[in-house]
Amino acid sequence: MCGICGVVGLRHATPIVFEGLRRLEYRGYDSAGIATLANGRVERRRAAGKLDNLAHVLEENPLPGTTGIGHTRWATHGAPTTCNAHPHSTERVAIVHNGIIENFETLRRELEAVGQVFHTETDSETIALMVDYHLAQGLGPKEAALKTLQRLEGAYAIAMIFAGHEGLMIGARHNAPLAVGYGDGEMFLGSDSLALAPLTRRITYMDDGDCVVITPAGAEFMTFDGTPVTRKEQTTALVAGAIGKDGYRHYMEKELHEHPLVIGQTLQRLVDPASRTVVLPDMPFDLASVPRAVITACGSAFYAGMIGRYWLEDIARLPVDIDVASEMRYRNPPLTSGSLGVLVSQSGETADTLAALRSLREKAVHILSILNVEQSTMARESAVVLGTVAGPEISVASTKAFTAQLTVLACLTIATARARGTLDTAGEEALVAALLDLPSRAADVFTSGDAIRRMARVVAEARDVLYLGRGSMFPVAMEGALKLKEISYIHAEAYAAGEMKHGPISLIDRTVPIVASAPYTPLFDKTLSNLQEAKARGGRLLVFTDTKGADRVSAIAEDMVVLPHVHDFVAPILQTIPVQMLAYEVAVLKGTDVDQPRNLAKSVTVE
Ligand code: F6R
């Protein structure tokens, strides 16, 4: 949510910062801007909308200088206009900010009272004008920055540059990610290691409450009261080339095709194929003795968690509480200390999930996070991290990270069940075999491309769509509905199929297609009865099933997609792939901006 990039060095800053923003555009694309120091003066270029608009502005009006900061915005306060675009600047300072300054109204009033004039509707401009005020009072850049940071409440990652101070950049973080990159005679700041990947692999992840003073010679870390602190340098594994589209039309299409690969890679980490056992990393607690699990996450990651709940309850016989993180963080549930907190997040930076993690940790819950970005803030605050080895996910709509999360949750379930004595060796071998079979079964799903595109033509004409599923297929239906809403802007709702008759069935007519996930599992007959009820009322059924369910589904469905039949346990993982593909094909037909749907951003670092 908003991306920040900055450089101090010897080279022309603008192209370096611009390339960093390209890699951060998934974090927001409401506007973009860059500021540099040109002959010691602050200069900036900004444009509403996507980064390409900024590219045109820069073409017409280039921005010289070797010290620069840039920003790609997901609007919180103030419309996505050029005027509200970052950097915010005065003649003394330019700043970029990711997050929300919660006390900005108070600070704005104070600054206006001393004569500072605001030009935007943003909370972020407060930072620029407060630093500017302190500079005007005669403080140096570091002192002005620290004095300002001491007043800010909320969440922020900030980068600042100062007129007359070539080769100086100050950064700060509190509840929003920021990383420092080390080059050869040049230094960088970025919201994540992806932004810095082509520039350097040497990175320091800042801690909350850190300020950093950066010059081409290095970085000096301190707390907001100026006390020096030491922060470790790490080497990232990210390679610069890992984010091309590789000939696919969109990142989402490419990432959909990576499902088999990422499931396989994730299994490689957690499964011993020879003994058909799950091998989790050492944990500072015993899975056998956790009294219950609490699962929390947002969006798609939450639906993955819901499937995890079905598994943990059924196979490990572990009581599970689950809620979206934005609710969990304020719910204050009574929890026995020593419970297991399972946090699921692709980015590891989602503000609500991070806050829920912290509130669970305060209740002495063991924190186990399932994360794709293993250097993220959540990773650093968890007792155990189980990585989803999905690689960078660039499309704003999550796809491959979801099946990787399910793969990890499946392995966690098996390990927990074994520890609790609810799964014997033969049982574990059978479930692991089903998991090991998944990458090739997932690859088979792509042979159904034509059938999915046929269904997409029906769905693309609809204004409303219902998604149905039972048991672990219910969260699959929710994932399908979310993906459709998100990228095609068609209204979709998911229901547990058995709930239809308690209300939603009244919506059914020929204009509301029903997309159902109905593989041949123990709930197949029940689901089919619910689908019959919908058909009897004129519903048009588009059904995802498998080879064992195909005959009976074909008798009632207007159209169907037949997947390979797999073990019940892994069926939700396989069935997710075609519902995501359907949303993708509908979005392509509708001509929407598939990878960067309106109003959204990946990595939601504000509450
Ligand atoms: C949906 C989607 C979002 C994310 C959610 C959580 O396609 O991408 O719903 O799943 O914002 O993000 P992470 O997993 O980064 O915590």
Side-chain angles (χ1 to χ4, degrees):
M1 196 135 283
C2 295
I4 287 180
C5 187
V7 58
V8 290
L10 303 165
R11 291 187 282 163
H12 184 193
T14 301
I16 298 173
V17 173
F18 189 87
E19 173 57 23
L21 295 183
R22 253 292 165 244
R23 299 169 76 85
L24 289 170
E25 204 179 9
Y26 72 91
R27 299 177 74 94
Y29 30 84
D30 285 334
S31 65
I34 297 179
T36 59
L37 296 180
N39 298 319
R41 288 184 23 197
V42 172
E43 290 271 346
R44 65 176 173 170
R45 308 284 181 266
R46 300 177 298 162
K50 292 198 170 188
L51 208 48
D52 287 342
N53 299 348
L54 179 65
H56 294 313
V57 171
L58 286 166
E59 241 167 58
E60 281 171 18
N61 208 349
L63 197 52
T66 55
T67 299
I69 53 176
H71 187 266
T72 171
R73 178 169 188 240
W74 186 83
T76 60
H77 295 62
T81 58
T82 303
C83 172
N84 287 329
H86 298 221
H88 297 294
S89 68
T90 68
E91 59 179 25
R92 297 183 185 88
V93 62
I95 70 103
V96 288
H97 165 224
N98 164 27
I100 294 179
I101 305 301
E102 285 169 3
N103 60 338
F104 84 98
E105 280 163 330
T106 313
L107 300 180
R108 186 171 173 139
R109 276 195 298 276
E110 281 179 26
L111 288 164
E112 281 171 343
V114 294
Q116 291 292 66
V117 179
F118 282 78
H119 296 99
T120 78
E121 304 160 302
T122 66
D123 54 330
S124 312
E125 194 183 10
T126 319
I127 307 168
L129 291 192
M130 187 168 278
V131 175
D132 177 83
Y133 174 75
H134 292 311
L135 292 169
Q137 299 300 302
L139 295 189
K142 183 168 109 182
E143 290 70 29
L146 290 174
K147 215 162 171 181
T148 302
L149 293 171
Q150 288 161 15
R151 294 294 315 281
L152 303 181
E153 290 169 17
Y156 46 89
I158 304 170
M160 314 176 189
I161 56 173
F162 305 85
H165 293 271
E166 303 267 5
L168 174 71
M169 177 165 59
I170 294 185
R173 87 156 262 179
H174 179 68
N175 286 338
L178 196 60
V180 176
Y182 301 81
D184 198 4
E186 54 187 0
M187 294 285 293
F188 315 100
L189 263 181
S191 291
D192 60 27
S193 51
L194 196 59
L196 305 180
L199 302 167
T200 181
R201 293 180 57 198
R202 293 168 50 211
I203 277 180
T204 294
Y205 295 97
M206 292 172 68
D207 282 354
D208 278 343
D210 279 358
C211 175
V212 63
V213 176
I214 297 174
T215 65
E220 202 189 302
F221 295 89
M222 64 203 70
T223 57
F224 292 172
D225 63 7
T227 310
V229 286
T230 310
R231 296 288 173 242
K232 258 199 339 239
E233 186 186 313
Q234 307 178 14
T235 306
T236 64
L238 271 182
V239 284
I243 64 160
K245 279 190 209 155
D246 294 356
Y248 289 102
R249 290 168 290 177
H250 301 96
Y251 282 111
M252 184 172 176
E253 187 182 33
K254 176 189 167 204
E255 289 163 7
L256 281 164
H257 279 82
E258 286 173 353
H259 276 301
L261 178 76
V262 305
I263 295 169
Q265 286 175 174
T266 304
L267 285 173
Q268 248 173 34
R269 275 228 197 145
L270 301 176
V271 160
D272 174 16
S275 61
R276 297 202 166 170
T277 52
V278 167
V279 186
L280 297 188
D282 287 343
M283 298 192 187
F285 51 85
D286 185 1
L287 282 175
S289 54
V290 296
R292 66 185 298 120
V294 186
I295 303 179
T296 189
C298 298
S300 284
F302 173 71
Y303 302 144
M306 280 181 77
I307 294 171
R309 174 183 63 175
Y310 284 100
W311 287 335
L312 281 167
E313 286 179 343
D314 180 29
I315 299 166
R317 308 304 305 148
L318 183 67
V320 178
D321 184 13
I322 181 162
D323 208 343
V324 288
S326 53
E327 290 299 314
M328 182 66 85
R329 63 183 290 187
Y330 295 115
R331 250 182 59 192
N332 193 21
L335 289 172
T336 318
S337 72
S339 293
L340 177 67
V342 180
L343 290 292
V344 189
S345 175
Q346 188 282 128
S347 63
E349 301 292 350
T350 301
D352 285 319
T353 314
L354 180 60
L357 180 157
R358 289 174 178 162
S359 78
L360 291 175
R361 211 177 41 188
E362 274 169 22
K363 294 184 161 71
V365 166
H366 302 300
I367 303 296
L368 181 153
S369 294
I370 298 173
L371 304 173
N372 197 37
V373 182
E374 292 180 52
Q375 300 87 0
S376 55
T377 308
M378 286 177 61
R380 281 176 278 135
E381 299 194 16
S382 303
V384 178
V385 173
L386 297 181
T388 50
V389 197
E393 193 179 62
I394 303 301
S395 158
V396 164
S398 188
T399 52
K400 59 177 180 169
F402 183 84
T403 49
Q405 286 161 353
L406 289 178
T407 305
V408 174
L409 282 159
C411 292
L412 177 64
T413 301
I414 293 171
T416 310
R418 183 180 61 213
R420 290 169 62 82
T422 59
L423 189 68
D424 60 16
T425 308
E428 175 166 0
E429 280 180 16
L431 298 187
V432 171
L435 282 168
L436 289 171
D437 189 35
L438 256 186
S440 56
R441 297 288 75 79
D444 293 342
V445 174
F446 295 92
T447 59
S448 298
D450 287 343
I452 293 171
R453 279 185 284 276
R454 206 168 55 225
M455 275 190 185
R457 286 197 286 275
V458 177
V459 173
E461 295 300 317
R463 214 186 62 173
D464 306 286
V465 182
L466 283 172
Y467 279 73
L468 301 181
R470 287 188 86 125
S472 61
M473 292 303 141
F474 173 38
V476 171
M478 295 171 102
E479 165 66 2
L482 175 67
K483 219 100 298 180
L484 189 74
K485 284 187 268 223
E486 194 175 14
I487 60 170
S488 76
Y489 317 144
I490 294 173
H491 173 240
E493 291 301 330
Y495 281 94
E499 273 294 292
M500 283 295 285
K501 53 190 167 300
H502 299 291
I505 203 163
S506 65
L507 288 173
I508 289 177
D509 64 22
R510 299 289 298 163
T511 68
V512 184
I514 296 167
V515 176
S517 295
Y520 194 80
T521 65
L523 288 175
F524 178 72
D525 287 330
K526 303 281 177 201
T527 310
L528 231 56
S529 305
N530 300 135
L531 296 184
Q532 292 277 16
E533 289 154 12
K535 185 182 166 70
R537 287 156 182 87
R540 300 176 69 180
L541 301 177
L542 308 173
V543 184
F544 294 102
T545 185
D546 60 17
T547 41
K548 279 201 177 174
D551 279 351
R552 289 182 50 206
V553 168
S554 70
I556 59 167
E558 173 174 322
D559 205 348
M560 66 176 182
V561 169
V562 182
L563 304 190
H565 176 73
V566 291
H567 194 295
D568 303 342
F569 177 53
V570 298
I573 309 182
L574 197 71
Q575 290 285 333
T576 293
I577 301 172
V579 295
Q580 292 178 340
M581 287 168 71
L582 176 65
Y584 172 75
E585 295 297 348
V586 173
V588 169
L589 284 175
K590 299 213 62 152
T592 58
D593 193 341
V594 173
D595 285 331
Q596 296 181 330
R598 67 187 182 202
N599 303 339
L600 290 170
K602 213 167 176 73
S603 190
V604 183
T605 54
V606 295
E607 187 175 346

